[in-house]
Amino acid sequence: MQKATIKDVAAKAGVSIATVSHVINHTRFVKPELVERVQEAILATGYKNKNLNRDGSLPPVRGSIISLVVPNLSETLYTHIAAVLNRQLKETEYRLIVHTSDNDPAIEKLILQSITSEKTSAAIFLVPLSENGKRYSKLIRSGIPCICLTRAFSSSKTYSITFSRENTIFSATRHLIKNNHERIALLHLSDNDFTSDYQVKGYRRALEEHHLFFQASLVFEFDACQSDEVYEHEIKTALEKYQPSACIVTNETLSYNLLKTLQVIGKEYPRDISIMGVGDNPFYEIASPSLTVIKEDTETLVQSALTLLWDLNKGITPLRMNQVIPSELVNRKSIRMLGMGPFGEKAAPPDSIQLSSQEQILLRKNNYRVAISFHYGGTAWTRLHERGIRRTLEGLGVSVVSVTDAHFDPRLQLAQLEAIRIQKPDALIAIPTDDHLTAEKFRELSKTTKLVFISNVPERLAKDSYVSCISVNESENGSNAGLLLGDYFKSKTGTKVGFIIHGTPFYGTRLRDSSAEKVVREMYPHIHIEATQSFGTIEHAYDTCKQMITLHPDIEGLYISWDQPALHAIRALEELGRTDIAIFTFDLDYAIASYMARRQMVMGLSTQRPYEQGVATAMATAKALVSDDISKYIGVQPYIVKPKQLLKAWKDILHEPIPEDLEQLVRQKILN
């Protein structure tokens, strides 16, 4: 009778020859059910092997322990890895044992020696402390499957599942640059043999790609083993000395201490400094404001590691030794886009306008008079602007002598401006209705009165013809709307959207519209902008929308320049029976809020802070009456509103309780 071979055993058990070899020689962990099948096949075929017992049975098999070796359990990354692994293994025969090396290579060496000598572990998941593969030669020779997590040592025989730290920091830096930041600080830890070279490379690469000079002084490195007090002192010193406008924080310990330090020195984020976090810490989401992060997906990392282990146990050879888990930008509220004025000026914050006691005395003494020329009235936006302006100016002893409403009619505004000229006010606050038709009249007025513009400066008006322009940060405003739209359709590929934009080339609306479009095109490649059409008058948005949806019925989302034209577009959609289309627009008022409260069509908006903008406008006007020391462009940060946030947003923006009918609608939707 012919002697049985290992090939016969493999055929009988329905497994690969490699699996039979691993079962007999203990060179790799094999699932218990496969071991049992191999054992039965050995006995059935009568296969003989020096590593088998005399009766043909298998020697004791390696245990069902999976060992996880991490630097510490103080970082959420490692506790999260342990928690996810434990949860995933509950449905299997394996149990998890966690070992911590305390960031000490000597302790790590002892742990690995113990695991390999005891031969009880089915596999090892290791977060190594060194890139030097020679330190792990005994581990490799042990035959126990080892998969490196989050980072890897140099070896051609060990698999790894990692995050691309270089690309992560590159993405974080690039995102801040796109928000007009140039002085960006990188806060990172020195980390044994794993220096932050990769992080600095990513940071530097993003700067060079955008033609920005790399400044080593903006790279702040901290010792990983120091007290919170030392962290706070070093962070405070770095911020005060180098004055970055934004920080990338690569570690949760540093993030925590950065936020504490900002409180101590009386600074707020993102008003005074923007913060970009890195990682997957739940703290980032519940911080107030919540932190925008480049998220490193721990769940996917662990699942990929387990899938790799199961494949190895089946004798399947992976195509790659190192698998890189991509990172993801999660937009929240910790980044402020730096605004740019009509002449490229960086926006100054509203609280940069300060009146000295002497200047306040001059304001009351001289009985200054101010006129206001609005482009359009009858909206909450206008009322709140006027309330903020009046209260602030009157509190400073400055009179508001007239307020006009041009009803979006340039010719009417010209007539109103002539009447204002006759009144000879000391200053004029104005919102132009038209860039071209009103420019000459404003130029004429600038010779006799101080001009302060809201939102927009007429075309071809010289920089020295007006005092200041106060606006919502329109770059950030548009970016917010683009992000809202993109995130809404984030999980749906092949989405088609339309852009309904303002045809009149106002600087503010043009900047807002282009920022939104740029965000959608660059950050959400799976979303296709199917059509872009413009409207002239507000009412024309109805026909524009109807025409667009008729020609492009597969559009699922719309960007619309602000709430008033959005309401006309909604009327068109209702007539077409297309209330399934999601709308993203600007500015909070009762009518637009009623749709949002019902979760009908309006799914997100970025809104100005009209009362705060009115206060900033009044402060700029008052300062201009007694001083030449005033910023040319003052930007107020916009406010993001989603349906669930409507109750709080209404109070924050409109400074009054939300109407009862809207409150009831919102609460009903929350309960449902």
Side-chain angles (χ1 to χ4, degrees):
M1 184 177 179
Q2 190 175 359
K3 186 184 291 187
T5 66
I6 192 171
K7 185 176 180 180
D8 298 325
V9 176
K12 183 73 174 176
V15 298
S16 68
I17 293 173
T19 298
V20 176
S21 176
H22 290 317
V23 169
I24 294 171
N25 299 307
H26 291 182
T27 50
R28 182 173 290 166
F29 178 77
V30 180
K31 289 185 177 182
E33 60 267 28
L34 294 183
V35 172
E36 186 177 346
R37 279 162 51 187
V38 170
Q39 173 70 89
E40 291 173 354
I42 288 171
L43 295 174
T45 59
Y47 176 68
K48 301 296 182 184
N49 184 287
K50 63 180 181 179
N51 289 330
L52 295 172
N53 294 328
R54 288 185 178 182
D55 61 357
S57 64
L58 293 167
V61 297
R62 186 176 291 149
S64 58
I65 293 171
I66 289 183
S67 295
L68 171 66
V69 184
V70 295
N72 59 70
L73 287 175
S74 60
E75 291 186 53
T76 304
L77 171 64
Y78 303 134
T79 57
H80 196 186
I81 287 173
V84 176
L85 258 176
N86 191 54
R87 186 175 70 243
Q88 297 279 359
L89 292 173
K90 275 185 177 178
E91 299 178 2
T92 71
E93 298 87 354
Y94 315 122
R95 60 191 178 94
L96 180 69
I97 294 182
V98 182
H99 307 264
T100 59
S101 61
D102 198 27
N103 287 296
D104 187 333
I107 295 176
E108 181 192 58
K109 183 178 180 180
L110 290 173
I111 290 170
L112 294 176
Q113 284 178 344
S114 174
I115 293 172
T116 54
S117 62
E118 290 176 5
K119 298 185 182 297
T120 57
S121 290
I124 300 171
F125 288 122
L126 171 67
V127 180
L129 294 181
S130 173
E131 291 179 294
N132 186 355
K134 291 181 180 179
R135 292 191 182 182
Y136 302 97
S137 56
K138 289 185 178 180
L139 169 64
I140 296 169
R141 290 198 300 270
S142 73
I144 300 175
C146 176
I147 298 172
C148 292
L149 300 181
T150 76
R151 53 197 189 189
F153 56 79
S154 55
S155 170
S156 60
K157 298 180 179 179
T158 304
Y159 294 96
S160 60
I161 312 288
T162 63
F163 300 121
S164 175
R165 293 290 159 84
E166 179 178 338
N167 287 337
T168 294
I169 302 304
F170 172 82
S171 298
T173 309
R174 183 176 60 179
H175 184 70
L176 288 168
I177 292 171
K178 287 182 178 181
N179 280 274
N180 297 329
H181 291 275
E182 295 181 2
R183 291 190 61 78
I184 302 168
L186 176 67
L187 281 65
H188 66 92
L189 295 177
S190 57
D191 194 5
N192 292 309
D193 283 355
F194 285 93
T195 65
S196 299
D197 285 350
Y198 295 118
Q199 294 174 333
V200 176
K201 281 180 183 177
Y203 170 75
R204 192 165 192 158
R205 181 159 58 92
L207 293 174
E208 290 172 352
E209 185 178 279
H210 291 84
H211 309 291
L212 295 176
F213 179 66
F214 169 75
Q215 300 177 66
S217 59
L218 287 173
V219 178
F220 307 146
E221 183 170 297
F222 302 87
D223 192 321
C225 301
Q226 58 190 28
S227 67
D228 286 350
E229 290 75 16
V230 175
Y231 279 129
E232 288 177 37
H233 172 73
E234 292 185 357
I235 291 171
K236 177 178 181 290
T237 301
L239 294 182
E240 291 179 344
K241 184 175 181 179
Y242 298 105
Q243 297 290 312
S245 68
C247 290
I248 300 168
V249 197
T250 62
N251 173 275
E252 65 195 48
T253 301
L254 289 176
S255 298
Y256 170 73
N257 282 289
L258 172 60
L259 299 189
K260 280 179 63 180
T261 304
L262 291 177
Q263 286 185 329
V264 170
I265 63 178
K267 289 187 177 291
E268 297 179 12
Y269 72 95
R271 187 194 69 179
D272 301 312
I273 189 166
S274 292
I275 300 175
M276 169 71 83
V278 174
D280 189 13
N281 190 327
F283 152 73
Y284 294 152
E285 189 171 3
I286 63 173
S288 183
S290 55
L291 296 188
T292 294
V293 297
I294 301 293
K295 180 180 178 182
E296 295 177 326
D297 191 344
T298 310
E299 293 269 354
T300 301
L301 176 109
V302 171
Q303 187 56 59
S304 299
L306 287 172
T307 300
L308 172 60
L309 180 61
W310 304 151
D311 285 345
L312 290 172
N313 289 340
K314 294 174 185 174
I316 300 172
T317 303
L319 297 176
R320 293 170 295 172
M321 297 298 292
N322 180 31
Q323 183 179 341
V324 179
I325 305 300
S327 53
E328 172 193 8
L329 174 66
V330 180
N331 282 288
R332 296 191 183 117
K333 298 179 179 179
S334 63
I335 292 177
R336 178 187 181 198
M337 177 177 278
L338 298 182
M340 305 292 286
F343 293 93
E345 315 96 326
K346 286 283 179 69
D351 56 11
S352 66
I353 313 168
Q354 297 293 328
L355 290 166
S356 68
S357 56
Q358 186 61 38
E359 287 170 340
Q360 293 182 49
I361 291 170
L362 283 173
L363 286 169
R364 295 184 184 281
K365 178 181 176 181
N366 291 324
N367 298 315
Y368 290 112
R369 301 160 64 250
V370 174
I372 305 173
S373 174
F374 282 123
H375 62 334
Y376 184 75
T379 65
W381 187 91
T382 308
R383 291 193 302 274
L384 285 163
H385 263 86
E386 183 178 348
R387 189 190 308 169
I389 292 170
R390 279 186 179 276
R391 285 181 179 177
T392 306
L393 287 179
E394 289 169 1
L396 293 168
V398 179
S399 302
V400 176
V401 294
S402 67
V403 179
T404 61
D405 172 8
H407 296 283
F408 263 122
D409 184 343
R411 290 175 179 78
L412 176 57
Q413 187 171 42
L414 288 173
Q416 292 170 341
L417 290 173
E418 176 59 24
I420 288 171
R421 185 187 68 80
I422 295 170
Q423 289 180 301
K424 296 182 179 180
D426 298 292
L428 169 63
I429 297 169
I431 308 177
T433 55
D434 184 278
D435 259 3
H436 304 287
L437 296 176
T438 61
E440 186 57 41
K441 176 57 71 175
F442 280 116
R443 194 176 293 111
E444 179 186 345
L445 282 163
S446 70
K447 297 173 183 177
T448 58
T449 189
K450 294 181 182 293
L451 295 183
V452 177
F453 290 108
I454 298 175
S455 298
N456 189 55
V457 176
E459 199 173 69
R460 296 189 302 278
L461 199 67
K463 191 175 182 179
D464 59 0
S465 298
Y466 66 98
V467 173
S468 186
C469 178
I470 291 81
S471 174
V472 67
N473 184 340
E474 291 291 13
S475 296
E476 185 173 8
N477 209 16
S479 175
N480 286 346
L483 291 169
L484 285 166
L485 185 152
D487 287 346
Y488 184 81
F489 293 110
K490 190 175 184 177
S491 59
K492 189 172 182 181
T493 58
T495 301
K496 294 180 180 180
V497 300
F499 271 52
I500 297 177
I501 62 175
H502 195 201
T504 304
F506 286 136
Y507 171 78
T509 50
R510 184 171 66 244
L511 184 59
R512 181 196 310 164
D513 294 343
S514 63
S515 294
E517 180 182 353
K518 184 178 180 183
V519 164
V520 173
R521 290 192 188 281
E522 292 184 0
M523 295 183 60
Y524 303 97
H526 66 286
I527 297 176
H528 177 65
I529 299 178
E530 183 76 358
T532 300
Q533 291 179 230
S534 62
F535 59 91
T537 64
I538 290 176
E539 294 78 10
H540 186 224
Y542 167 85
D543 293 322
T544 303
C545 179
K546 208 163 195 178
Q547 182 183 45
M548 178 183 286
I549 301 304
T550 301
L551 291 173
H552 306 281
D554 48 355
I555 281 177
E556 299 176 66
L558 284 175
Y559 165 94
I560 305 174
S561 282
W562 74 92
D563 63 322
Q564 294 302 305
L567 291 170
H568 288 282
I570 286 171
R571 182 163 60 88
L573 293 174
E574 288 173 334
E575 290 180 9
L576 291 169
R578 291 302 308 274
T579 57
D580 59 306
I581 291 178
I583 290 173
F584 302 88
T585 187
F586 303 89
D587 299 332
L588 187 63
D589 206 342
Y590 178 87
I592 208 77
S594 65
Y595 285 97
M596 182 174 274
R598 296 193 298 270
R599 310 281 174 93
Q600 183 179 5
M601 291 190 278
V602 181
M603 295 302 167
L605 58 86
S606 181
T607 182
Q608 301 185 40
R609 296 170 177 262
Y611 182 82
E612 285 74 10
Q613 286 165 219
V615 171
T617 301
M619 289 295 293
T621 304
K623 184 76 172 179
L625 290 170
V626 293
S627 170
D628 294 327
D629 183 21
I630 184 167
S631 299
K632 211 67 181 173
Y633 186 67
I634 296 162
V636 180
Q637 191 175 10
Y639 188 116
I640 292 175
V641 187
K642 296 179 181 179
K644 287 184 178 180
Q645 303 162 341
L646 188 54
L647 294 179
K648 183 177 186 302
W650 188 277
K651 184 178 179 181
D652 289 347
I653 301 303
L654 299 175
H655 295 269
E656 61 186 25
I658 191 169
E660 288 185 11
D661 57 334
L662 289 183
E663 181 177 7
Q664 190 174 8
L665 282 171
V666 173
R667 295 197 183 282
Q668 284 176 352
K669 287 296 181 181
I670 291 173
L671 289 173
N672 293 335

